[in-house]
């Protein structure tokens, strides 16, 4: 009973913090776009880093903006870019579970490695994964967690990266299902296809990035069957950090708006500022293409914003440079090896989370999948949430009456 009360309290705290973050984002679309841009970059790098790969967000961005490779493992960077594209546009898992989960699996597959076909779920199983989350869609974090746990069990822990992507897809879809988030399931267009993961506008409703939460101030094991309490603690701490960080982002947007007001008809600077609000990482080539100006003009405009403190140069070099809004530059930090602290994300040197600590019931299951065991695990999760369901539903009912 004490465990149930403890987990229930942690869940309510995490959902409360998530609701506060979401409320701020819904009220300010420009702020939401900037926050999701930053968070998606960090989540992609952290998710791959949790699997023991040497990766940094700066390496990803360099690769996307200029094709320049840093001293990262090229395979890790390519994998992170695939993961990034799914984070930005997870799709509609409730409406198209097979298509969404197959895309997630493809993105999560390590570059150059062939997946064991014995661990591949049948198409008929994928809707069951999603339905495990839909049953708790009124508690989005738990919805994502249950779907992730179901996939982890059914796939025999074959892909923790896919588990985390499923968590994000279902958590975001649950928020839309409950009317907490606008519908962001629009398909990709030709511009998105050309732009790739970095420039692709976020079409997502997620609030809790699991890898960032687990690695923000240290390292916690990703364990979707047995680690709910630890995850909720990490998520709450991470969301609390984001509540403060949103103020920094709002200040940066206000500073850009002030630069617009002082531009005195210099339309090119105004155009660049408008571009930055949608795309906070730029190179001179990107500015040339977007604004239709010469390289000299692009560098002059960028220089004005650097001098005003609105942009930071992320490369200590004279060529292949790119710039970002100061908040993103600070969070990306400097490129380094696995185990380094980059901004506010820590990646362990120890390797993949499932290799650091045995997961007990989550260890690879030999001899097939026991549906009865999965039912028991889900029942234990539901029992831990006893009482929380009624609290959340009563709160929702009061809100609807007040409306």
């Amino acid at each position: 009973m004490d465990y149930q009360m403890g987990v229930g309290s942690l869940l309510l705290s995490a959902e409360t913090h998530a609701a506060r973050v979401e409320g701020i984002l819904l009220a300010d679309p420009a702020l939401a776009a900037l926050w999701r841009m930053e968070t998606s970059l960090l989540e992609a790098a952290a998710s791959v880093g949790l699997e023991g790969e040497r990766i940094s967000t700066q390496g990803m961005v360099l690769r996307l903006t200029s094709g320049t490779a840093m001293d990262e493992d090229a395979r890790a960077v390519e994998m992170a870019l695939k993961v990034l594209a799914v984070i930005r546009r997870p799709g509609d898992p409730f409406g198209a579970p097979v298509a969404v989960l197959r895309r997630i699996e493809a993105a999560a597959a390590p570059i150059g490695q062939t997946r064991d076909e014995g661990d591949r779920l049948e198409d008929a199983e994928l809707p069951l994964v999603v339905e495990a989350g839909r049953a708790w869609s009124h508690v989005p974090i738990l919805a994502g967690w249950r779907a992730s746990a179901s996939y982890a069990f059914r796939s025999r822990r074959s892909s923790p990266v896919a588990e985390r992507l499923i968590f994000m897809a279902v958590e975001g879809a649950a928020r839309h299902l409950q009317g907490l988030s606008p519908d962001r399931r629009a398909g990709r267009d030709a511009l998105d296809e050309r732009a790739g993961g970095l420039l692709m506008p976020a079409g997502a409703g997620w609030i809790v990035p699991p890898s960032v939460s687990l690695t923000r101030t240290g390292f916690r094991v990703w364990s979707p069957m047995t680690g709910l309490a630890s995850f909720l603690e990490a998520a709450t701490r991470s969301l609390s950090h984001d509540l403060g960080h949103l103020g920094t982002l709002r200040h940066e947007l206000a500073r850009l708006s002030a630069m617009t007001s002082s531009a005195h008809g210099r339309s090119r600077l105004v155009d660049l500022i408008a571009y930055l609000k949608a795309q906070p990482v730029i190179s001179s080539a990107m500015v040339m293409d977007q604004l239709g100006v010469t390289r000299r003009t692009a560098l002059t405009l960028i220089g004005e914003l650097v001098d005003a403190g609105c942009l930071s140069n992320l490369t200590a070099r004279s060529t292949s440079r790119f710039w970002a809004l100061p908040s993103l530059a600070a969070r990306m930090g400097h490129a380094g090896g696995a185990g380094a602290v980059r901004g506010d994300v820590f990646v362990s040197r120890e390797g993949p989370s499932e290799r650091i600590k045995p997961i007990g019931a989550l260890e690879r299951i030999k001899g097939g999948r026991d549906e009865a065991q999965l039912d028991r695990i889900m029942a234990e999760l539901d029992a831990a949430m006893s009482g929380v369901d009624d609290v959340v539903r009563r709160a929702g009912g009061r809100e609807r009456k007040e409306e």
Side-chain angles (χ1 to χ4, degrees), residues 14-265:
E15 284 289 2
T16 299
H17 280 73
R20 292 178 64 192
V21 169
E22 184 164 29
I24 293 171
L25 299 180
L26 289 173
D28 191 336
L31 181 64
L34 182 55
W35 179 79
R36 281 202 169 87
M37 167 71 77
E38 288 192 358
T39 305
S40 61
L41 285 167
L42 294 168
E43 174 65 23
S47 188
V48 173
L50 277 173
E51 302 311 301
E53 299 288 351
R54 191 168 185 268
I55 185 69
S56 77
T57 34
Q58 192 180 80
M60 279 198 306
V61 174
L62 265 176
R63 175 85 171 182
L64 280 165
T65 54
S66 63
T68 302
M70 298 181 69
D71 58 350
E72 316 292 333
D73 183 328
R75 292 185 310 166
V77 172
E78 290 304 318
M79 182 176 177
L81 297 181
K82 294 196 302 176
V83 169
L84 177 62
V86 174
I87 291 172
R88 292 279 171 78
R89 292 288 178 89
D92 177 16
F94 294 146
V98 176
V100 169
L101 268 63
R102 290 297 186 217
R103 178 169 170 253
I104 285 174
E105 289 177 332
I111 301 295
Q113 294 185 23
T114 303
R115 182 172 180 177
D116 183 355
E117 288 300 315
D119 289 330
R120 179 182 171 88
L121 274 64
E122 299 291 338
D123 283 357
E125 288 185 275
L126 300 181
L128 300 178
V129 169
V130 173
E131 287 305 312
R134 186 194 287 269
W136 279 82
S137 61
H138 54 290
V139 187
I141 293 175
L142 185 57
W145 188 265
R146 291 178 99 258
S148 178
S150 176
Y151 183 83
F153 184 91
R154 294 176 183 281
S155 66
R156 304 174 184 178
R157 297 298 330 264
S158 63
S159 179
V161 174
E163 295 163 14
R164 292 188 285 270
L165 288 174
I166 288 170
F167 172 87
M168 297 184 78
V170 173
E171 186 240 349
R175 294 187 184 282
H176 168 66
L177 200 64
Q178 296 302 312
L180 302 176
S181 175
D183 189 349
R184 301 178 180 275
R185 298 171 296 173
R188 292 162 50 156
D189 56 26
L191 176 61
D192 293 337
E193 294 290 349
R194 292 196 303 273
L198 177 65
L199 305 183
M200 182 191 298
W206 47 258
I207 295 295
V208 182
S211 306
V212 169
S213 298
L214 293 168
T215 58
R216 174 158 259 161
T217 57
F219 178 80
R220 295 184 186 231
V221 174
W222 168 254
S223 174
M225 300 287 238
T226 61
L228 180 57
S230 177
F231 175 76
L232 291 173
E233 289 176 347
T236 300
R237 184 177 296 110
S238 183
L239 290 166
S240 179
H241 183 284
D242 278 328
L243 284 169
H245 183 63
L246 286 171
T248 299
L249 296 183
R250 185 179 284 117
H251 174 72
E252 292 195 352
L253 289 173
R255 186 160 51 185
L256 286 173
S257 296
M259 286 290 292
T260 300
S261 299
S262 63
H264 302 303

Side-chain angles (χ1 to χ4, degrees), residues 256 259-260 262-276 282-313 321 323-325:
L256 286 173
M259 286 290 292
T260 300
S262 63
H264 302 303
R266 291 177 294 169
S267 60
R268 298 289 80 184
L269 183 60
V270 172
D271 292 341
L272 176 56
I273 290 171
Y275 182 45
L276 277 171
I282 60 170
S283 67
S284 58
M286 292 163 65
V287 175
M288 292 166 61
D289 182 63
Q290 177 69 22
L291 273 60
V293 298
T294 64
R295 174 177 169 79
R296 173 174 293 184
T297 298
L299 290 173
T300 297
L301 294 172
I302 290 170
E304 287 189 52
L305 294 179
V306 171
D307 292 342
C310 295
L311 281 178
S312 294
N313 184 359
R321 290 178 293 172
W323 294 261
L325 296 184

